[in-house]
Amino acid sequence: GAVVSQHPSRVICKSGTSVKIECRSLDFQATTMFWYRQFPKQSLMLMATSNEGSKATYEQGVEKDKFLINHASLTLSTLTVTSAHPEDSSFYICSASPGTGGGNTIYFGEGSWLTVV
Amino acid sequence: QKEVEQDPGPLSVPEGAIVSLNCTYSNSAFQYFMWYRQYSRKGPELLMYTYSSGNKEDGRFTAQVDKSSKYISLFIRDSQPSDSATYLCAMKPYGGSQGNLIFGKGTKLSVKP
């Protein structure tokens, strides 16, 4: 079964509103979680690294004020898309690993489809 | 040149065929190599995980890494319609965190009954 859970799996929102996506590690604690975005027929692009108890680290070109990340516990990270616009419509995926070592297996959530109308 | 190159396909094969999926890369520091399967509108699922060069087999799946050629492959034997999905290669250097994971664009595979 899934070890990383995302919710909601699909959400439609109106332009200008905010949407929150949750990512939970079910069987392990994760001090770090990662958020990706995937456009149709494109690869996964890392948006940010979510660090428990501290600020997230954003990749170049990703607006930190638009994509708010909160990693309040060792099993939960949230991504909030603020003032969403149609161009934010995409597939958002989180991932986590049971450890920090380079050889640890990386698990992905089921993904969240966001459609902004 | 992109760090990881993967033919997007689509690749269509008859049921029972042997499928070969490949990725090339340019960064010689990559040491961990992974293959993920992604069904439509779902998150990636880890299939195979290899460290450094060599082969690894798991059921109908075999992963090969040729670091001298900077080339990795995933073979699927006796392919089934349920194998129809997009297959993503991913890799990262030794000591690299998950944030250093680089993905290919994915190859879309269709197995026809």
Side-chain angles (χ1 to χ4, degrees), chain B residues 90-102:
Chain B
M91 50 198 79
K92 64 185 176 83
Y94 179 81
S97 73
Q98 187 180 339
N100 299 118
L101 196 61
I102 305 297

Side-chain angles (χ1 to χ4, degrees), chain B residues 65-111:
Chain B
V65 176
D66 182 348
K67 291 189 67 183
S68 62
S69 302
K70 297 189 179 68
Y71 187 88
I72 68 171
S73 301
L74 177 71
F75 297 97
I76 307 174
R77 291 183 299 280
D78 187 24
S79 57
Q80 303 294 311
S82 59
D83 295 328
S84 298
T86 296
Y87 290 80
L88 297 151
C89 64
M91 50 198 79
K92 64 185 176 83
Y94 179 81
S97 73
Q98 187 180 339
N100 299 118
L101 196 61
I102 305 297
F103 286 89
K105 279 193 173 183
T107 300
K108 188 171 183 179
L109 171 67
S110 178
V111 181

Side-chain angles (χ1 to χ4, degrees), chain A residues 38 43 95 102-103 106 110 113, chain B residues 38 41 43 49 92 98 103-104:
Chain A
Q38 187 179 33
S43 186
S95 70
I106 299 161
E110 303 97 326
W113 277 99
Chain B
Q38 187 176 23
R41 297 175 176 261
Y49 178 97
K92 64 185 176 83
Q98 187 180 339
F103 286 89

Side-chain angles (χ1 to χ4, degrees), chain B residues 18-62:
Chain B
I18 297 175
V19 176
S20 173
L21 304 166
N22 313 293
C23 287
T24 59
Y25 62 95
S26 57
N27 189 346
S28 58
F30 288 144
Q31 294 281 354
Y32 294 97
F33 303 92
M34 288 150 254
W35 285 96
Y36 287 87
R37 177 174 62 195
Q38 187 176 23
Y39 290 112
S40 181
R41 297 175 176 261
K42 297 290 184 182
E45 171 194 8
L46 180 65
L47 275 179
M48 300 288 284
Y49 178 97
T50 325
Y51 171 68
S52 195
S53 284
N55 295 355
K56 187 173 184 179
E57 187 173 323
D58 184 2
R60 295 185 294 112
F61 299 90
T62 300

